[in-house]
Amino acid sequence: MEIEDRIRASFARQGLMTTLGARLDSAREGKVEVSAPIRPETGQQQGMAHAGLTFAIGDSAAGYAALSVMPADNEVVTSEMKIHLLAPARGTRLVARGRVVKPGRRLVIVTADVFALDGAEERHVALLTGTMVPVPA
Amino acid sequence: MEIEDRIRASFARQGLMTTLGARLDSAREGKVEVSAPIRPETGQQQGMAHAGLTFAIGDSAAGYAALSVMPADNEVVTSEMKIHLLAPARGTRLVARGRVVKPGRRLVIVTADVFALDGAEERHVALLTGTMVPVPA
Amino acid sequence: MEIEDRIRASFARQGLMTTLGARLDSAREGKVEVSAPIRPETGQQQGMAHAGLTFAIGDSAAGYAALSVMPADNEVVTSEMKIHLLAPARGTRLVARGRVVKPGRRLVIVTADVFALDGAEERHVALLTGTMVPVPA
Amino acid sequence: MEIEDRIRASFARQGLMTTLGARLDSAREGKVEVSAPIRPETGQQQGMAHAGLTFAIGDSAAGYAALSVMPADNEVVTSEMKIHLLAPARGTRLVARGRVVKPGRRLVIVTADVFALDGAEERHVALLTGTMVPVPA
C-alpha cells in the first residue's frame, strides 16, 4: 500500500492528468495502470483519441511503474519514449498498463500497452517503450 | 496560403489542441509551428510542462508538416514517434517546430524540436522523430 | 514449411548474416529466431557483443517475422527500428526472437527480444521495436 | 588531438569495426565521422548495405561523439538507439556523422546522419537518435 500511496500523491499533483480526466487505477511493484475517457475535448480531427492523450497516459503508467521500483525519496522523469500507434483509438475509455522491463540505479527501462475499451471489446491501440531517470524528490 | 488553410481547418477540429490552449502559429510546405502556454493545468508534479503536453504539440507540428507535403485529399496519422526530453520545460510557453525529413507516398519521416520560452531565453527541451502515414480524409 | 523455405532463401542472400556467422534457427508464421556466436571479430572494445551485432540479428529476426505474414511475392525492408540495450551481451551466443505485433498491408509493426547464452544462463540483453514495409521482390 | 587519440584507441579495439572494414575518419569535440565500404559481405538480400551495417557505423559515430565530451577515464555504452532508414543504401561507401545533441553527466543524447556515396552523389540514407551512458573504462 505504501507504493500506491506514494504514486497516488504524485499523480494528484499532475495538472495534465486532471485536465485529461485520467485516473490511477492501480499501482503495485513494477506495474501501474492509468486510464482516461475518450472525449471530444481530448480527441483528434476524426473523433478518436488524440495520439497526445494516448501518449500521456501511456507515459504516465510507464513512469509510475518505474517510480514503484525506486527508493522512496525519488521522483522520476521521462528521458525518452517511443510510441507505436497500432489501431484507431475508438471507444469510450483508454487503459494504459505500464511495467518495468529492466530496473536500474541510473536508468529504468519501461514499457506500456494502451487499450481502447469499445463496448465489450478491448483493442490494443498503442505500445510504448522508454527510459525513465530518477531525480531527487 | 492554401496549405495553411487546409492545416488550420484540421487543427481546429482537434479537441485536444483546444483543451491544451495550443495554437497553430505558421504552416508552410514542409514546416509547421505549433505553440501552447505552460500552465498548471497541463503541468506535471514539479510544476513544469508535462511530457504529454510537449509530445502533443511536437507530434502535432510534425504531423502537419507531413500533411503539408501530401495531396489535398489526405489526412495524416502518426504511426510511431519517439521523443527525447532534453531539459526541464520551464517558462511561459512551449513552441514546437516540425519539419519533413523525407517525404514519401506511403510514409513521411518527420522531426520536431520543442523549445521553452522563459523570459528572453529559448531553451531546447525536446527532440522528436517519427513516421506519419497518409489516410483518406 | 513454405514460409520457412522462402525466408531461408532470402536469409542466404544476406552477406552480412554470413559475415556475422548468423543462423536462421526457426521461422513460422509471425515468429522467427536468428542466432549468432559472440566472437572477438564481432565484439566491442570491452570484449562483449557489439550493439551492431545485437541490432543486426534482432532486426533480421523482426524483419523475417514480418515477411512471414506477407504475401509470397514480397520482400521486406526496415523503415525504423529502436533498440534498448538492457545488459552487457556476455557469453557464447546471441539469440534473437522476432515477432509481429500488428500486421498490415502497408506497415507491419514488429518486436524482437535478444538473449545472451552464458553457460546455462539465458540473459535478456536487448529489446527492439520497429516498423517493416513490404517491397516488391 | 588528445580526444582523437583516445577515440582512435577505443575504435581499434572494436572487432566488429574491423570486420566491417570501418574507419574512423575524424573525431573532434562533439563530432565524429566513421565510414565503411558497401560490399557484398556486409549487404542485404538486394545488394545494398544491410541495415545492420548502417546501424553499426551510425551508432559508433554517435557513441564516440558522446565519448568526446566525457572525462578521459570513461568508456561509453549505448543505452538505446533509434534508426530511420530513409533511402536504399546504394553506392560504394557509407559515411556516418555523429554529434552530441545534449551532453550530461549521466546521459548524453546523440544523433547521427548516414550518407551513401554513389559516384558524385551523397545521399541521406539514415537518421539515428539515441542515449549514451558513461561507464568506467
Side-chain angles (χ1 to χ4, degrees), chain B residues 2-132:
Chain B
E2 200 238 50
I3 286 173
E4 188 169 336
D5 287 347
R6 191 149 58 93
I7 290 174
R8 211 163 275 290
S10 173
F11 191 90
R13 291 198 304 277
Q14 297 210 358
L16 183 63
M17 289 298 112
T18 306
T19 297
L20 299 176
R23 188 172 78 191
L24 180 69
D25 289 325
S26 68
R28 58 186 207 277
E29 196 175 332
K31 295 204 176 176
V32 168
E33 191 174 304
V34 172
S35 65
I38 300 175
R39 300 182 304 193
E41 303 93 283
T42 51
Q44 37 85 287
Q45 71 279 20
Q46 298 167 311
M48 289 172 281
H50 196 283
L53 173 64
T54 308
F55 178 89
I57 68 163
D59 174 69
S60 198
Y64 284 123
L67 189 62
S68 77
V69 301
M70 287 178 189
D73 53 346
N74 281 284
E75 277 286 354
V76 66
V77 295
T78 304
S79 173
E80 60 77 31
M81 184 65 67
K82 185 195 192 191
I83 185 168
H84 282 278
L85 296 149
L86 305 171
R90 216 178 267 121
T92 53
R93 198 162 185 85
L94 286 182
V95 180
R97 296 185 183 120
R99 72 184 175 83
V100 171
V101 174
K102 170 82 186 174
R105 205 169 37 86
R106 296 192 297 178
L107 300 176
V108 180
I109 310 306
V110 291
T111 190
D113 290 288
V114 186
F115 300 87
L117 309 187
D118 195 3
E121 203 194 348
E122 191 179 273
R123 199 179 193 191
H124 192 194
V125 296
L127 166 64
L128 296 88
T129 60
T131 306
M132 295 288 163

Side-chain angles (χ1 to χ4, degrees), chain C residues 13-35:
Chain C
R13 291 198 305 278
Q14 297 210 356
L16 183 63
M17 289 298 112
T18 306
T19 298
L20 300 175
R23 190 172 77 191
L24 180 69
D25 289 325
S26 68
R28 57 186 209 276
E29 197 176 329
K31 295 203 175 175
V32 169
E33 190 174 305
V34 173
S35 66

Side-chain angles (χ1 to χ4, degrees), chain A residues 36-61:
Chain A
I38 300 177
R39 300 182 304 192
E41 303 92 283
T42 51
Q44 37 84 289
Q45 71 281 21
Q46 301 167 307
M48 290 172 281
H50 197 284
L53 173 64
T54 308
F55 177 88
I57 68 163
D59 175 69
S60 198

Side-chain angles (χ1 to χ4, degrees), chain A residues 92-112:
Chain A
T92 53
R93 199 163 183 84
L94 286 181
V95 180
R97 298 189 180 117
R99 72 185 176 82
V100 171
V101 173
K102 169 82 186 173
R105 205 170 37 85
R106 296 191 299 175
L107 300 176
V108 180
I109 310 306
V110 290
T111 190

